[in-house]
């Protein structure tokens, strides 16, 4: 059985005492690896190595030298594309067709884009009048914040991790990454890439483990960590924010959502169906930006529900290697239990199950995997559990609505504020409704279309701060004003 090691100071390290946890396949619950669980000592060693690299070779490099290395990291990920693809698919069970189009290429692109951003983003300059008439000049410089703790989720493991590591390193920081315990492999593989292209040891470190009383907590409470960037559940983000208060350390939190889609009767019907099918079911519904509440204007409600049902039922559930697979399993049996508890709750609350609602019949060993059916409900009120709580599975509730004001109020009536999708052909309405949505990211007539230069993050309980483009630089650097009296 292979053991997945921690990556500390450029070396693969099995934690002292040999503590390991199991990584099982979401396809059939087969044990696929043991993962070395970092204790306080390993986390401390990783933070110490990161500090030494910051004060050593990495901190002394010019931006040009760093940028060259980060481009080499992207190239090496692409050269080892098949290894990353195999690791990501083994950990998550997602279709190869999906991971090869989204997870791995975007994982590599995150290094290139932020290498470009750091090279091409100027800082500000002001001339200031003074009473003596001689004046002063002000300019700003960017300096790394230091050692950054990076705590990651399991739904898009490489992509969401490099989304943070890419800009953190571009800005000259060093990192200690705590991947999700459910998806340990690609972060570890990235250690090999770092060594292969000559990233100095200690710049990129990986510690494996869980949250409370494990590597996650040890990292986020470590005094040597200068800033923490996190993606995951809202309640975890809040715990991390409390940990970061000790030392007044900055946090960037990308957290949960309960995202609405609003479909007006004048929308391009087929595009709205296609977009809503993707936003509800892609990656087995395990996308933070995914749609779990769909509001459809009453004149097209029945037709919309029927078409969405047909689309969901046409999704082929299957193994990653099959090119026809449209949906894989959930990431783990634990997550399957959570999603199925909502499937039951919807029925208890009186929902009409339009399609799905259970576990698909899978052949042979696959019957032991974390499979669930894509599921659509109607008939519940806005206060039902499946209409208010993030499920993070392939499911949505569809509600009818009658007016723009009504639907905007209902869509915004949530503790979350991550993303929304609005479907309409009326240009004025598109702008009007987008302006009123209380979210960090509002799509009109699309979903998941991302330009990595744009701000990304959530409002309300969905997050604090924005990453992407120059916004990442704001978090990963300290801006300093230099004021010179002439
Ligand atoms: P999670 O919060 O359970 O875990 C995320 C990470 O935090 C894991 O590495 C975990 O080990 C660690 N962790 C848990 N408790 C901790 C603690 N007390 N201290 C330090 N670390 C701790 O989230 P998940 O289940 O892995 O991911 C799914 C969630 O992530 C969903 O809520 C989803 O909406 C959210 N998400 C948000 C975005 C976004 O950009 N807003 C993107 C992807 C996923």
């Amino acid at each position: 059985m292979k053991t997945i090691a921690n990556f500390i100071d450029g070396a693969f390290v099995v934690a002292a005492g040999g503590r390991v946890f199991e990584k099982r396949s979401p396809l059939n619950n087969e044990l696929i690896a043991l993962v070395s669980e970092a204790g306080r000592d390993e986390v401390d060693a990783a933070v110490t190595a990161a500090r030494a690299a910051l004060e050593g070779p990495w901190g002394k490099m010019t931006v040009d030298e760093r940028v060259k290395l980060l481009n080499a990291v992207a190239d090496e990920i692409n050269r080892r594309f098949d290894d990353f693809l195999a690791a990501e698919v083994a950990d998550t069970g997602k279709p190869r067709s999906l991971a090869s189009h989204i997870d791995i290429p975007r994982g590599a692109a995150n290094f290139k884009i932020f290498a470009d951003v750091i090279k091409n983003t100027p800082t500000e300059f002001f001339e200031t009048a003074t009473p003596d008439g001689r004046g002063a000049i002000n300019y700003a410089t960017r300096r790394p914040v230091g050692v950054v703790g990076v705590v990651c989720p399991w739904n898009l493991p490489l992509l969401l991790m490099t989304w943070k590591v890419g800009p953190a390193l571009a800005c000259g920081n060093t990192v200690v990454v705590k991947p999700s315990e459910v998806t340990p492999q690609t972060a570890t593989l990235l250690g090999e890439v770092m060594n292969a292209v000559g990233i100095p040891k200690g710049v990129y470190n990986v510690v494996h483990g869980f949250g409370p009383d494990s590597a996650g907590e040890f990292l986020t409470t470590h005094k040597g960590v200068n800033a923490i960037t996190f993606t995951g559940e809202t309640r975890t983000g809040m715990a991390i924010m409390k940990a970061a208060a000790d030392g007044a350390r900055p946090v960037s939190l990308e957290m949960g959502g309960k995202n609405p889609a609003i479909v007006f009767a004048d929308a391009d019907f087929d595009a709205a169906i296609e977009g809503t099918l993707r936003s509800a079911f892609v990656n087995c519904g395990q996308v933070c930006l995914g749609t779990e509440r769909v509001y459809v204007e009453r004149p097209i409600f029945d037709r919309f529900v029927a078409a969405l049902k047909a689309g969901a039922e046409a999704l082929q559930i299957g193994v990653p290697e099959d090119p026809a697979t449209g949906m894989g399993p959930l990431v783990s049996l634990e997550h399957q239990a959570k999603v199925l508890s909502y499937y039951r709750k919807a029925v208890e609350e009186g929902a009409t199950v339009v399609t799905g609602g259970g576990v698909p019949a899978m052949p042979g060993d696959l019957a032991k995997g974390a499979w669930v059916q894509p599921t659509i409900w109607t008939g519940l009120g806005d206060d039902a559990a499946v209409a208010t709580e993030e499920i993070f599975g392939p499911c949505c509730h569809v509600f009818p609505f009658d007016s723009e004001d009504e639907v905007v109020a209902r869509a915004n009536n949530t503790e979350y504020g991550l993303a929304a999708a609005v479907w309409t052909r009326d240009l004025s309405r598109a702008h009007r409704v987008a302006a009123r949505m209380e979210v960090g990211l509002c799509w009109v007539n699309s979903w998941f279309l991302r330009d990595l230069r744009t701000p990304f993050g959530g409002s309300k309980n969905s997050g604090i701060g924005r990453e992407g483009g120059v916004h990442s630089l704001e978090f990963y650097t300290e801006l300093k004003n230099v004021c010179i009296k002439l």
Side-chain angles (χ1 to χ4, degrees):
M1 183 58 52
K2 76 172 166 187
T3 299
I4 297 169
N6 302 284
F7 183 68
I8 300 171
D9 206 16
F12 290 93
V13 177
V14 173
R19 221 161 115 157
V20 291
F21 59 93
E22 293 182 340
K23 168 60 200 166
R24 289 183 175 271
S25 168
L27 301 174
N28 55 13
N29 202 34
E30 187 192 328
L31 183 64
I32 53 176
L34 295 171
V35 187
S36 172
E37 184 179 353
R40 278 192 198 278
D41 288 351
E42 285 76 26
V43 172
D44 186 52
V47 174
T48 304
R51 174 74 48 204
L54 194 67
E55 286 163 7
W58 187 247
K60 297 195 172 74
M61 260 181 212
T62 62
V63 172
D64 282 353
E65 287 167 329
R66 274 203 318 263
V67 160
K68 204 169 151 201
L69 278 173
L70 294 178
N71 280 312
V73 170
D75 293 342
E76 182 68 5
I77 294 174
N78 284 325
R79 197 185 68 75
R80 296 195 58 188
F81 194 92
D82 290 346
D83 296 338
F84 277 94
L85 186 59
E88 204 73 307
V89 164
D91 273 357
T92 59
K94 64 177 76 188
R96 279 177 76 94
S97 56
L98 180 68
S100 61
H101 278 94
I102 304 273
D103 299 65
I104 312 306
R106 270 282 307 279
N110 283 336
F111 286 98
K112 283 210 190 285
I113 177 108
F114 290 106
D116 285 348
V117 171
I118 194 71
K119 267 206 84 160
N120 297 314
T121 305
T123 57
E124 65 218 64
F125 171 86
F126 292 103
E127 287 181 316
T128 309
T130 57
D132 65 7
R134 291 183 3 220
I137 56 171
N138 288 279
Y139 60 86
T141 59
R142 288 191 185 281
R143 292 289 174 266
V145 282
V147 175
V148 180
V150 183
V151 183
C152 307
W154 44 256
N155 59 326
L156 297 155
L158 181 72
L159 187 160
L160 290 175
M161 186 261 290
T162 55
W163 173 245
K164 294 168 177 305
V165 170
L169 298 190
C171 293
N173 303 284
T174 56
V175 297
V176 180
V177 175
K178 212 300 278 169
S180 167
E181 55 274 31
V182 188
T183 52
Q185 297 204 59
T186 43
T188 313
L189 203 49
L190 191 57
E192 291 180 21
V193 166
M194 296 291 174
N195 281 350
V197 304
I199 295 277
K201 62 186 186 148
V203 170
Y204 173 81
N205 305 274
V206 180
V207 289
H208 292 296
F210 303 85
D213 201 29
S214 184
E217 184 186 318
F218 303 154
L219 178 63
T220 51
T221 55
H222 197 295
K223 299 253 179 305
V225 171
N226 301 106
I228 302 166
T229 175
F230 164 79
T231 301
E233 278 187 26
T234 296
R235 68 167 184 276
T236 312
M238 289 177 179
I240 286 177
M241 197 170 176
K242 284 186 186 138
D246 196 5
R249 295 168 301 160
V251 287
S252 172
L253 305 177
E254 297 183 347
M255 309 194 286
K258 187 72 186 174
N259 310 304
I262 302 177
V263 186
F264 287 96
D266 67 2
D268 176 334
F269 187 86
D270 293 342
I273 287 289
E274 188 273 337
T276 308
L277 281 169
R278 269 194 306 121
S279 69
F281 302 127
V282 79
N283 207 34
C284 205
Q286 303 163 120
V287 180
C288 55
L289 306 163
T291 301
E292 292 190 355
R293 297 182 290 146
V294 186
Y295 298 91
V296 181
E297 205 166 2
R298 204 174 297 273
I300 61 163
F301 181 79
D302 290 341
R303 189 174 150 228
F304 190 92
V305 172
L308 203 65
K309 170 179 164 34
E313 289 173 357
L315 267 176
Q316 192 164 316
I317 300 177
V319 292
E321 297 69 34
D322 185 344
T325 295
M327 206 178 92
L330 292 168
V331 78
S332 65
L333 290 181
E334 192 188 351
H335 192 50
Q336 184 202 36
K338 175 185 164 185
V339 172
L340 289 177
S341 77
Y342 279 103
Y343 283 16
R344 282 193 298 276
K345 214 176 272 185
V347 174
E348 283 158 22
E349 290 189 298
T352 300
V353 181
V354 175
T355 188
V359 175
M362 300 301 288
D365 247 18
L366 294 178
K368 298 182 203 150
W371 309 90
V372 292
Q373 291 173 319
T375 295
I376 300 169
W377 303 288
T378 57
L380 292 177
D382 290 357
D383 56 351
V386 298
T388 53
E389 296 170 25
E390 182 185 50
I391 303 170
F392 220 55
C395 52
C396 60
H397 189 287
V398 194
F399 305 88
F401 74 87
D402 295 297
S403 80
E404 187 179 308
D405 282 345
E406 171 210 334
V407 77
V408 168
R410 290 172 67 191
N412 284 336
N413 185 18
T414 165
E415 67 184 273
Y416 294 109
L418 188 53
V422 177
W423 300 87
T424 178
R425 281 183 165 124
D426 180 333
L427 189 59
S428 299
R429 172 150 59 199
H431 287 291
R432 211 163 52 224
V433 174
R436 294 174 72 190
M437 296 312 299
E438 297 168 358
V439 293
L441 181 50
C442 183
W443 279 288
V444 175
N445 297 331
S446 69
W447 179 77
F448 212 55
L449 181 59
R450 290 276 302 125
D451 182 323
L452 304 184
R453 296 167 298 183
T454 60
F456 179 88
S459 59
K460 301 188 196 170
N461 282 359
S462 290
I464 291 189
R466 295 291 182 271
E467 298 195 29
V470 294
H471 310 286
S472 293
L473 305 192
E474 297 304 320
F475 181 71
Y476 294 106
T477 59
E478 287 285 0
L479 264 178
K480 175 163 46 187
N481 177 57
V482 178
C483 176
I484 299 178
K485 175 77 170 52
L486 299 176

